Amino acid sequence: MKKKYEALVFAGILSTQILAGCASDQQESSSSDGTVAVPVSSGGDGKAPCCDLSDTKDGEFTAESKSDNFMGHGRIAVTIKDHKIVGVNFVGIDPDGNIKGADYGKTNGQVENPGFYQKAQRAVKANSQYADQLLQVQELEKVDVISGATVSYDQFVEAAKTAIENAKK
Amino acid sequence: MSLLELKDVSMAYGGKVFALQDINMTVEKGEWLAIMGPSGSGKTTLMNIIGCMDKATSGTVILDGIDLTDVTHQQLTTMRRDKIGMVFQQFHLIPYLTAVENIMVAQYYHSLPDKKEALAALDRVGLEDRANHLPSQLSGGEQQRVCIARALINYPVLILADEPTGNLDEANERLVMKIFHELHDEGHTILTVTHAPEVGREAQREIIIEHGRIANSEV
């Protein structure tokens, strides 16, 4: 009986939410094909203006993105001199705490699936490419996302923002 | 008895254009099978038939002991709801419901919603702390994990995954495949449809579809 009641309540809530969603869609959607524009919350967060270097101190500043038991995290070291970024090192850390390197993508030390290994190694390479990009363009917003390494990108941006903020303290 | 058996299954549009022709295959309980093939080869048509979303124009499909040949569309819907857990490349989450509500919808249409159980399903894929997030607040990988939780919630006999990593980056692809490995180890029967060799290779067995026919099958 209780479950039946819960189901009815849930159905009511669901209907209300669907109707509310439809109303919301009508407000948000300007597309003739009925598609709804929804805000994207990941992969682009780092594009917001940030990280002015004019008030930074000289030195090497390290930071990590937040740790995720499934995805691991990223660790960055940003070296700043005269308000310019003169060195960046970024590595990915797997959920077991290992730096993602030549073994990333292997299973028990062996390349069991070459396709996955190649993708994993491309992601490892992307980590250093993100670092190189930042060194070159000097602005975090101008670092381009590399296809197939969007999780690394989010980790990179989060860690880099924190490191640059640390340089201002 | 096999969990799934297809005998001489064909799908002809307009009686002339064959999307599938004389498909014979079986899937055993607990097996992980990959259906592979290029675009237009017929693998999605085959998935639609196995997933009770479409009926073959000829041949026999037996799923969990039930012959689908002469069932009505209503009965096919019931079979799909009760027997199949679907994971899609494009996720197909309801955008204005939270992660846990998306799972509870699947419960609602199957039997009764149970939030505790839905949260446990999210926990199973490492997303319990994201339960109250909308799909737009989740990354692609997280959305796919919600899809997997939704697919599992009604204890399906067959998990059918159409290009499950097609929209994911490397890290999320590894994670999703890890979850599939865990599900397989737990005894779930999984059928992945993919054009990606590295994803197909993770299955125990691969069937390759070309021009609507099975071109190769290896155990």
Side-chain angles (χ1 to χ4, degrees):
Chain A
M1 186 66 187
K2 188 185 170 199
K3 274 213 156 191
K4 202 168 188 177
Y5 173 74
E6 286 173 351
L8 286 170
V9 170
F10 180 74
I13 292 169
L14 184 61
S15 304
T16 308
Q17 284 178 320
I18 287 173
L19 287 172
C22 290
S24 170
D25 290 352
Q26 285 164 0
Q27 287 168 0
E28 290 174 13
S29 174
S30 57
S31 169
S32 57
D33 63 5
T35 55
V36 180
V38 290
V40 177
S41 65
S42 70
D45 290 350
K47 291 297 179 187
C50 81
C51 309
D52 175 20
L53 298 173
S54 62
D55 53 352
T56 52
K57 294 178 289 188
D58 289 353
E60 182 183 88
F61 303 91
T62 59
E64 295 189 349
S65 66
K66 67 179 183 298
S67 188
D68 180 320
N69 288 337
F70 281 79
M71 289 295 169
H73 63 282
R75 180 188 298 156
I76 199 168
V78 179
T79 307
I80 295 174
K81 184 171 173 55
D82 297 332
H83 312 295
K84 286 186 178 174
I85 296 171
V86 295
V88 185
N89 181 39
F90 178 68
V91 292
I93 314 287
D94 70 21
D96 296 325
N98 303 311
I99 292 175
K100 294 177 181 176
D103 284 337
Y104 183 57
K106 292 181 180 177
T107 305
N108 300 323
Q110 301 294 320
V111 179
E112 290 190 352
N113 187 325
F116 278 146
Y117 181 69
Q118 285 172 10
K119 284 186 178 181
Q121 286 302 303
R122 278 202 294 271
V124 170
K125 192 177 171 188
N127 286 337
S128 60
Q129 288 172 328
Y130 287 138
D132 292 344
Q133 277 193 64
L134 180 58
L135 186 61
Q136 194 172 3
V137 300
Q138 295 287 310
E139 293 178 53
L140 192 52
E141 306 88 89
K142 291 184 179 175
V143 173
D144 290 328
V145 185
I146 295 168
S147 175
T150 53
V151 170
S152 297
Y153 174 79
D154 288 340
Q155 293 173 343
F156 174 78
V157 169
E158 185 186 342
K161 273 182 180 176
T162 308
I164 294 170
E165 288 304 314
N166 289 344
K168 297 176 181 179
K169 290 176 184 171
Chain B
M1 184 177 65
S2 302
L3 177 70
L4 175 70
E5 188 170 1
L6 275 69
K7 294 179 193 167
D8 301 321
V9 166
S10 295
M11 184 69 166
Y13 293 102
K16 293 178 183 174
V17 181
F18 280 87
L20 290 175
Q21 209 160 356
D22 301 325
I23 300 291
N24 289 283
M25 59 178 276
T26 57
V27 179
E28 303 302 325
K29 194 168 188 289
E31 189 179 16
W32 183 357
L33 175 73
I35 296 175
M36 302 186 64
S39 294
S41 59
K43 57 186 189 297
T44 298
T45 304
L46 181 57
M47 190 201 74
N48 288 345
I49 292 170
I50 294 170
C52 301
M53 289 180 284
D54 209 345
K55 289 179 73 172
T57 46
S58 65
T60 306
V61 180
I62 299 171
L63 175 60
D64 203 21
I66 298 169
D67 189 340
L68 304 181
T69 309
D70 297 318
V71 300
T72 64
H73 278 285
Q74 181 64 43
Q75 289 168 322
L76 209 56
T77 299
T78 304
M79 283 291 291
R80 182 171 66 243
R81 191 186 62 200
D82 292 347
K83 305 284 185 186
I84 309 285
M86 298 286 298
V87 178
F88 302 98
Q89 179 180 2
Q90 304 291 349
F91 317 136
H92 296 312
L93 297 171
I94 299 173
Y96 34 81
L97 296 182
T98 63
V100 70
E101 286 167 349
N102 265 282
I103 295 170
M104 290 170 73
V105 168
Q107 290 178 312
Y108 174 70
Y109 284 106
H110 179 268
S111 50
L112 290 171
D114 181 334
K115 190 169 185 179
K116 191 176 173 188
E117 198 174 18
L119 286 170
L122 278 177
D123 187 40
R124 170 75 184 76
V125 295
L127 286 178
E128 195 174 15
D129 60 336
R130 310 287 264 166
N132 295 318
H133 287 65
L134 294 170
S136 60
Q137 295 169 317
L138 302 171
S139 70
E142 288 170 335
Q143 289 184 59
Q144 191 59 295
R145 282 146 70 186
V146 175
C147 287
I148 294 171
R150 181 181 60 183
L152 293 172
I153 195 66
N154 295 321
Y155 306 100
V157 296
L158 177 64
I159 297 167
L160 202 50
D162 184 17
E163 301 283 7
T165 62
N167 272 347
L168 306 183
D169 80 339
E170 172 275 334
N172 279 302
E173 182 175 73
R174 285 168 61 80
L175 177 54
V176 166
M177 295 315 294
K178 179 172 176 279
I179 292 171
F180 276 122
H181 273 291
E182 289 169 359
L183 294 173
H184 182 234
D185 291 344
E186 291 167 8
H188 287 277
T189 309
I190 304 170
L191 203 157
T192 44
V193 178
T194 181
H195 71 278
E198 67 273 15
V199 175
R201 189 180 166 145
E202 294 295 292
Q204 287 174 298
R205 187 160 64 96
E206 298 173 34
I207 285 179
I208 299 169
I209 305 284
E210 285 179 3
H211 305 297
R213 294 176 180 271
I214 292 179
N216 182 37
S217 176
E218 62 181 45
V219 176

